[in-house]
Amino acid sequence: MRLFTDSDEWRPPALRARDRDLGQRGQQTLRELLDAGFAEFCDKRFSAVRGEDVVLRTKTSHGTFYLRFESKEDLVATLLRMVLGMTAAQPKAPGPGTAGSGSPRTPNSPLSPA
């Protein structure tokens, strides 16, 4: 699953400023680091993930990882900002019992008695 998108909305201003200096390959490497970090945190508990795990998954150097992130805590904070930003951007589903929710209590539901 790819978590990274090309949108700048989730990125803190400092990271956006660093990205402006990156070429196309540098931006691709950042995407790969974020995707690898997300996969590592999905596969293992937080304390078991090391920066080296992300580096090995992306086949980059430690220097490349630490150029973009100060630590694994910085990486996970960036990933959380991404996920929270994507969640906030999604429209909310109607709650139970509201029009259009499909709940049996909804008068327009095919399950409601006529």
Side-chain angles (χ1 to χ4, degrees):
M1 174 181 159
R2 283 187 53 94
L3 180 64
F4 182 84
T5 63
D6 289 328
S7 169
D8 275 349
E9 293 175 14
W10 60 268
R11 294 183 221 174
L15 188 54
R16 278 185 242 142
R18 280 190 265 168
D19 286 351
R20 287 189 207 109
D21 299 333
L22 292 177
Q24 187 174 13
R25 177 63 192 138
Q27 294 221 2
Q28 180 62 32
T29 300
L30 177 59
R31 287 184 196 106
E32 291 169 6
L33 287 168
L34 290 166
D35 286 340
F38 181 72
E40 286 294 325
F41 288 116
C42 287
D43 292 347
K44 303 174 189 173
R45 66 186 187 280
F46 176 80
S47 62
V49 174
R50 303 171 299 153
E52 183 174 352
D53 299 327
V54 177
V55 167
L56 290 173
R57 196 178 278 247
T58 58
K59 298 179 177 84
T60 60
S61 69
H62 288 84
T64 300
F65 177 83
Y66 289 106
L67 178 67
R68 294 290 152 210
F69 306 102
E70 293 179 10
S71 62
K72 76 173 181 182
E73 290 81 5
D74 188 24
L75 171 63
V76 79
T78 301
L79 290 168
L80 284 171
R81 279 190 297 273
M82 290 173 57
V83 170
L84 293 173
M86 290 174 12
T87 303
Q90 292 178 354
K92 296 192 189 298
T98 61
S101 70
S103 164
R105 291 177 285 169
T106 304
N108 297 337
S109 170
L111 300 176
S112 295

